[in-house]
Amino acid sequence: MVATTRPETIMGDTAMCINPNDPKNQHLKGKKVIVPLVNRVIPVIEDDYVDIEFGTGCLKVTPAHDVNDYMLGEKYNLPSIDIFNDNGTLSEAAGLYVGQDRFDVRKQIEKDLEAAGLLEKVEAYTNKVGYSERTNVVIEPKLSMQWFLKMEHMAQIALEPVMNDDIKFYPPKYKNTYRHWMENIKDWCISRQLWWGHRIPAYFLPEGGYVVAVTEEEALKKAQEKTGNPALTMADLRQDEDCLDTWFSSWLWPISLFDGINNPGNEEIKYYYPTSDLVTGPDIIFFWVARMIMAGYEYEGKMPFKNVYFTGIVRDKIGRKMSKSLGNSPDPLDLIAQYGADGVRMGMMLAAPAGNDILFDESLCEQGRNFNNKIWNAFRLIKGWEIDETASVPEASQKAIHWFESKQNEVAAEVADLFGKYRLSEALMAVYKLFWDEFSSWYLEMIKPAYGQPISRSVYSTTLCFFDNLLKLLHPFMPFITEELWQQMYEREEGESIMVQYFKLDTYVDVPYVRQFEVAKEVIANIRSIRLQKNIAQKEELELQILGTNPVAEFTAVIKKMANLSELTSVETKAEGAASFMVGTTEFAVPLENMIDVEAEIARMEAELKHKEGFLQGVMKKLSNEKFVNNAPAAVLDLERKKQADAESIIASLKESIAALRKQ
C-alpha cells in the first residue's frame, strides 16, 4: 500500500521504494508491483532514503516530477516519464487525462481509484508546498534540457586556499560552511529560462548537434566545418533561447571589473588583481564567494581577494528575514528622514558583530541619532567659547590635556587592531565611548571655563586638535556629520575633504598616568553619588578627607573642580558623621555637618548594612564549603576572598558611620 499527496503523478511512477531495514515490508524485496490505472509493471527498489516510520514505508518514485525521486532514479537507473506539458496540463506521455489541468486530474483520479477499488482512504494532510514568489502558483518540478558546468575540478582548486587561510574568512566559523559546500558539490546548472541576461552562445545545427561561438560569424564558420556543408547560412542555425545564470557572470566580477576577460594581462588587472577585501553576506557564500574563488584560480591562476568579511543579515524583532511579502522591512529613506543617514548607519553597525544577524529595532537608529546630537552639541560648545590670547593654562586643564592625549592614542591603537581583525562594531564602540564618555563627559568638563569666562588660546587649540582626531576616527562610520563639522572647524581650501586626510596618531601612551586618572574619576563619581544620596546641591562646596596616604594627589586640581571641593586633606581619623567610601584600599570621607537629615541617613545606611551583611554571609558560606575550596580554581578563590575583604571593610565603615550619626 502506497500513500501519496500527489496522485496526479501516478502515471509517471517508474518504481516503488522500501527501506531494506523495514521489517514490515520484507516480503516485498525483489518483487514487482503494478501502477494503478495505467497497469505498468515496475520494480521494488531498496534504499535507506525511505523513512520506516512515515506512512506505510512504501514510496512511489516519480523521477521526472520530484527532486528526491530524481536522485533515486539516477542512482538505480530508472526511466523518467515526463507527464506534464509546460502549461501544467497532462501530456501524451501520461497516457490518461491528456490535456487536463494537473489539479483537475488530482480530483478526478481520486474518484477513478475509488471506483476501481484501489483507494484505501483519503485524509487531510498538511504539507509544505513551494509557490512562485512572482505568480503565487504552485511550483511543479519538471524535467527539462539545461546546460551544466562540471564542478569537481573547480571545487578542488577553490577549497584548499580557504582551508589554509590563504584567503581569510571573517568570522572564520564560515569556513565550515564553505568546506561543506565544496566537499558536496553538484554540477552547476548555468541555464535559465529568462528573457533578459547573457544569452547562451550555443547554436543548434539543422541535422542535430550544436556549436558554441562568441559571434554569429564564428558560429556559422564552425557549423559549416562540423557539418561539412559550406552552403549553411545563419538562417539554418538556431541560437539557444536560454540565458546564463546571473551568478555565471557575477563569478567573473573581480576579473571583468578590470576587463581581464576581454583584455587579458592589461595594466589595470596586473596592478589591482587580486583585490584586498570582499564584504558580503553569509547567505551567498556558495552562490558568489566560492564561485569567484573558483574563477580566480581557473582563469587568473591566483586568488581574487585576500579577505572576506561577512556581514550579518538584518532581521525583524522576532528574527524573521526582511521581505516585501511579510511587510516587515522599513523604508530606509523614511528612517534617514527621521534619524539621519549617520544615525541609521551608526545604530546598525553598533548592533552588527561580524557574521551575526541583526534584530532590527528603530531604537538602534534613535541611539545613532542621539550620538549625532552629542557630537554636534560638543562642537557648538567648543566653538561658543570666548578665547583669551594671554590667559595661562589652569592646572586642571594641563592634567586633562595630558590624560586625554594618552587616552586617545590608546583607543586609536585599539581601533587599528580591531580593524585589522575585522571587528568593526567593536571598533565603533571603542570610538563611541572615547567621544561620549571620555571626551564629552570628562575632558570638556575639566577644561570648560567658568560661566562667562574666556578659555586659554592654548587649551582651545589643543581641544580643536583632539576634536579633529575624533572626527577622523569616526569618519568611516559616520561620514556625513564628520565631513560637515570638519569643514566648519577651520577655513578649508576648495576640494578639501576629511575623507582624504592623512591620519596617524602618536603611539605614546602614559599608561600609569591613565590608570591613576581612572582612580581619580572613581573618587569624583563617589563624591557625586554622596551629593545625590544626601540631596546636596552641586553649588555647595564640600571637603574631602583622605585617611592615610593620598593616592590621587597628582589630580587634586581636577578633583576639586569636578567635585566642587574647597579642599582635600589627609587625616588620621575622619570627621564624625562623615559619609565615607572606599576606592581600592583607601578610605575617603566627606564631612556633612548639618547638611543632611540624620534619621533618614541612618535608616538608609542600616538598609545598606543589612544588604552587605547578607552578601557577606553568602560569600562566607562558599568559603566554608570544603568541597568548593578544594575544587575551585585559584583565581575563583582569590575573587571570593577579595569579595569577603571588601564586604567586611564596607560593613565596618557603615557601622562606624551609623554610630557617629547617632552621637549627633
Side-chain angles (χ1 to χ4, degrees), residues 2-17:
V2 174
T4 181
T5 59
R6 300 290 311 278
E8 68 274 17
T9 63
I10 283 175
M11 287 73 71
D13 292 351
T14 56
M16 186 180 82
C17 189

Side-chain angles (χ1 to χ4, degrees), residues 266-311:
N266 68 74
E267 290 303 313
E268 276 201 347
I269 199 162
K270 284 196 292 186
Y271 182 81
Y272 290 110
Y273 188 95
T275 57
S276 295
D277 303 313
L278 172 71
V279 180
T280 187
D283 52 336
I284 54 173
I285 287 178
F286 177 70
F287 295 110
W288 195 36
V289 179
R291 287 167 176 168
M292 282 193 287
I293 294 171
M294 293 173 186
Y297 282 102
E298 179 68 15
Y299 302 121
E300 290 295 322
K302 51 189 172 183
M303 67 182 73
F305 30 71
K306 298 167 187 170
N307 305 291
V308 183
Y309 175 78
F310 293 107
T311 63

Side-chain angles (χ1 to χ4, degrees), residues 202-422:
Y203 298 80
F204 294 100
L205 306 176
E207 302 299 326
Y210 63 88
V211 294
V212 176
V214 175
T215 64
E216 289 186 349
E217 292 75 15
E218 183 185 349
L220 180 59
K221 183 179 178 182
K222 285 185 174 181
Q224 290 170 342
E225 291 173 354
K226 188 169 185 176
T227 60
N229 181 5
L232 278 179
T233 66
M234 277 306 300
D236 299 317
L237 306 183
R238 178 178 63 85
Q239 185 177 355
D240 196 306
E241 294 180 343
D242 289 353
C243 293
L244 288 166
D245 177 11
T246 186
W247 299 110
F248 194 79
S249 53
S250 298
W251 78 326
L252 300 174
W253 179 78
I255 305 171
S256 58
L257 178 66
F258 307 114
D259 200 27
I261 299 296
N262 296 324
N263 186 12
N266 68 74
E267 290 303 313
E268 276 201 347
I269 199 162
K270 284 196 292 186
Y271 182 81
Y272 290 110
Y273 188 95
T275 57
S276 295
D277 303 313
L278 172 71
V279 180
T280 187
D283 52 336
I284 54 173
I285 287 178
F286 177 70
F287 295 110
W288 195 36
V289 179
R291 287 167 176 168
M292 282 193 287
I293 294 171
M294 293 173 186
Y297 282 102
E298 179 68 15
Y299 302 121
E300 290 295 322
K302 51 189 172 183
M303 67 182 73
F305 30 71
K306 298 167 187 170
N307 305 291
V308 183
Y309 175 78
F310 293 107
T311 63
I313 295 173
V314 182
R315 301 182 181 275
D316 64 16
K317 289 181 185 179
I318 58 175
R320 299 177 302 176
K321 193 172 181 179
M322 297 287 188
S323 74
K324 294 176 186 175
S325 59
L326 290 174
N328 61 346
S329 179
D331 188 329
L333 294 179
D334 290 342
L335 291 175
I336 290 170
Q338 186 172 359
Y339 301 107
D342 281 337
V344 176
R345 283 170 59 95
M346 184 259 182
M348 297 293 285
M349 282 188 284
L350 271 181
N356 291 340
D357 290 351
I358 306 164
L359 298 183
F360 177 77
D361 191 323
E362 279 200 28
S363 62
L364 297 172
C365 302
E366 187 176 358
Q367 183 182 5
R369 180 192 63 191
N370 293 344
F371 186 46
N372 272 267
N373 291 341
K374 189 75 171 179
I375 298 169
W376 190 264
N377 289 336
F379 180 74
R380 288 176 58 195
L381 174 68
I382 297 167
K383 280 294 190 176
W385 286 333
E386 181 185 344
I387 303 166
D388 187 335
E389 301 288 347
T390 60
S392 60
V393 179
E395 184 184 354
S397 296
Q398 291 176 3
K399 303 293 183 185
I401 288 169
H402 182 63
W403 163 72
F404 190 77
E405 184 175 18
S406 281
K407 191 67 183 177
Q408 73 165 9
N409 292 347
E410 181 183 58
V411 173
E414 179 189 358
V415 169
D417 179 63
L418 290 169
F419 271 137
K421 296 173 180 174
Y422 293 80

Side-chain angles (χ1 to χ4, degrees), residues 97-116:
Y97 313 108
V98 176
Q100 295 184 42
D101 182 80
R102 53 183 171 159
F103 296 120
D104 293 337
V105 173
R106 179 179 295 180
K107 296 174 184 176
Q108 184 60 45
I109 204 169
E110 179 186 327
K111 297 175 183 177
D112 293 345
L113 286 169
E114 186 172 19

